[in-house]
Amino acid sequence: MTDGQRIPVIIDCDTGVDDALALLFAVRHPALDVRAITCVAGNTDVDGVVRNTLTVLEVAGAGDIPVARGAERPLIEPVRTARHVHGQDGMGDLGLPAPTRVAVDVDAVTLLRREILASPRPVTLIPMAPLTNIALLLRTHPEVTRNIERIVFMGGAVATGNATPVAEFNVWHDPEAAAVLLTAGVPITMYGLDVFKKVLVPAGEVQRLRSSAEPSLRMAGDLLAHRDPATSGDPTPTGGLGDAGAVCAVVDPKGLTTERLPVEVVLAPGPARGQTIVDRRPRLGESEIHEGMREQPLVDVALGVDVERYVQLWLKTLD
Ligand code: BDR
Ligand code: CA
C-alpha cells in the first residue's frame, strides 16, 4: 500500500489501558497513516497520559509520530480520573519502564491544527477520550474542518452509561466539549458504549498474547487481562478491546452497523448530565408537532458490531 492510499488519521487519547490497545493496532495497521497523537486528561492526569502514550509507541517500535500534551482539565468540570479502572499509572500498573521518547514542544491544539492542515488528504480524527482538545481546536481554529474527512469518536451511549446510569465516561467528563464536537459540521460516527462493550478477545487469545516473547504482544495480553475480568462473570477472563474498536471501525467500517440519527448531549446539571440522547423514534412526536423542530446534529450512531470480525482484525494486525 502506497502512502497515497493510506488513511491519514490523528488520534486523541487518554492512555488508558484500552487506548493503548488502540494505539498498538493503529501504528501496526498498513492502511493507516498515523500523523499525530494528542493527549488529554481523562483516565489519568495529562502528564500520565503523555507518558503512557510514549511508552506504548516505544514498546511497539512505532515510527517517529509526534505526540503532544493537551488540556489538563475539562472546560468546566474538574478532573475526575478513572484510575480505579485503569490502575494508578493509568495503564494497568504493569511496571513498564519510563519512555525515552519525548512529546513535541507544542500543545495539542497547535499540533492538531498543523497536522490537519498539512495533510495532503483530508484527515480522519479519532478521539477516544474526553473531547476537551477537540472542542478547543474547533473553537480556536474552525478552518481545520476543511481538511477533516470525518470524526469517528469513542463516546456516548444509546442505552446504558458507565460513569452514571446514563452517561458514558468520555462525554460525562466534559459534556460541553462533546456538544461542541457534535456540531463540528463534518461527518461524525459515534462508537458508543453499546458496541464498545461487546468486542471481547477470547480468554485463550489473551493467554497466548501474555506468554508471547515479543514485548508489544506481551504488553497487549497483559493490558487485555487487566480489562474488567470481574464483570464478565467468567473465571477465565476475556479482554475488551474498548477504544481499539473505534480504530477498527475506521479501517473496516463494514463491521459496524450505523444509523444516521439526531444526537444531543444533556448539559443541564443533575442525574442526566453527560447523557447522549439519541432520537430513534420513527416519526415526529407531540413536542415537534406543537413546538417545532429543534436543530440537532445528525450522527452515524453505531448500533451493532461484528465482534468476531473486529477481534480477528485486531489480532491479525498485532501478530
Ligand atoms: C471510555 O472511557 C475510558 O475509560 C476508556 O478509555 C474509554 O475511552 C469508555 O467509557
Ligand atoms: Ca480512552
Side-chain angles (χ1 to χ4, degrees):
M1 189 167 272
T2 66
D3 270 4
Q5 291 168 322
R6 293 194 297 159
I7 306 167
V9 300
I10 298 181
I11 294 174
D12 186 70
C13 57
D14 61 341
T15 321
V17 172
D18 57 324
D19 304 72
L21 298 172
L23 293 172
L24 282 173
F25 173 77
V27 300
R28 288 262 160 92
H29 200 284
L32 298 180
D33 172 17
V34 183
R35 301 185 71 87
I37 300 171
T38 50
C39 301
V40 68
N43 289 324
T44 191
D45 62 279
V46 71
D47 290 319
V49 172
V50 171
R51 182 200 60 228
N52 293 342
T53 301
L54 294 168
T55 297
V56 174
L57 296 181
E58 201 149 294
V59 176
D64 192 14
I65 300 168
V67 173
R69 181 185 190 274
E72 58 184 39
R73 57 163 284 189
L75 299 179
I76 292 176
E77 296 288 354
V79 169
R80 296 168 292 180
T81 63
R83 289 198 180 101
H84 61 293
V85 177
H86 294 263
Q88 279 313 305
D89 70 355
M91 215 172 70
D93 296 324
L94 302 182
L96 294 164
T100 57
R101 298 181 182 215
V102 290
V104 293
D105 63 1
V106 295
D107 63 276
V109 171
T110 305
L111 182 68
L112 282 161
R113 176 183 181 275
R114 189 175 86 192
E115 291 300 325
I116 291 170
L117 294 180
S119 173
R121 291 172 54 214
V123 166
T124 295
L125 265 189
I126 317 177
M128 49 179 69
L131 297 143
T132 324
N133 286 344
I134 307 302
L136 291 169
L137 169 75
L138 292 168
R139 286 295 183 258
T140 317
H141 306 293
E143 72 278 10
V144 293
T145 56
R146 71 164 188 258
N147 210 30
I148 295 179
E149 179 79 26
R150 61 193 187 114
I151 300 176
V152 178
F153 81 103
M154 189 286 130
V158 180
T160 315
N162 55 1
T164 77
V166 294
E168 180 281 328
F169 177 79
N170 290 340
V171 174
W172 170 84
H173 200 262
D174 195 342
E176 281 72 20
V180 171
L181 169 110
L182 290 182
T183 54
V186 299
I188 297 179
T189 300
M190 177 172 127
Y191 187 89
L193 277 185
D194 317 271
V195 285
F196 172 97
K197 287 188 297 199
K198 292 196 174 127
V199 188
L200 302 172
V201 178
E205 291 292 345
V206 176
Q207 290 315 325
R208 183 179 66 78
L209 290 169
R210 292 191 89 180
S211 50
S212 169
E214 204 280 309
S216 69
L217 295 184
R218 203 165 54 243
M219 179 175 77
D222 289 343
L223 290 167
L224 280 166
H226 188 268
R227 298 278 300 157
D228 214 16
T231 57
S232 70
D234 186 335
T236 50
T238 52
L241 279 186
D243 288 343
V247 189
C248 291
V250 172
V251 172
D252 181 17
K254 290 204 170 84
L256 214 56
T257 309
T258 62
E259 220 177 293
R260 189 155 296 176
L261 296 164
V263 180
E264 186 170 8
V265 180
V266 176
L267 299 177
R273 183 162 160 80
Q275 179 181 9
T276 42
I277 298 180
V278 178
D279 190 351
R280 299 186 71 185
R281 294 172 300 169
R283 55 174 172 266
L284 298 182
E286 287 69 21
S287 139
E288 291 80 20
I289 289 163
H290 295 292
E291 285 144 29
M293 297 290 288
R294 287 168 354 93
E295 223 180 288
Q296 281 177 313
L298 290 174
V299 173
D300 294 316
V301 179
L303 298 175
V305 60
D306 186 333
V307 173
E308 176 68 9
R309 183 165 166 153
Y310 280 4
V311 168
Q312 288 310 321
L313 173 65
W314 186 83
L315 284 170
K316 255 174 68 187
T317 304
L318 255 74
D319 276 338

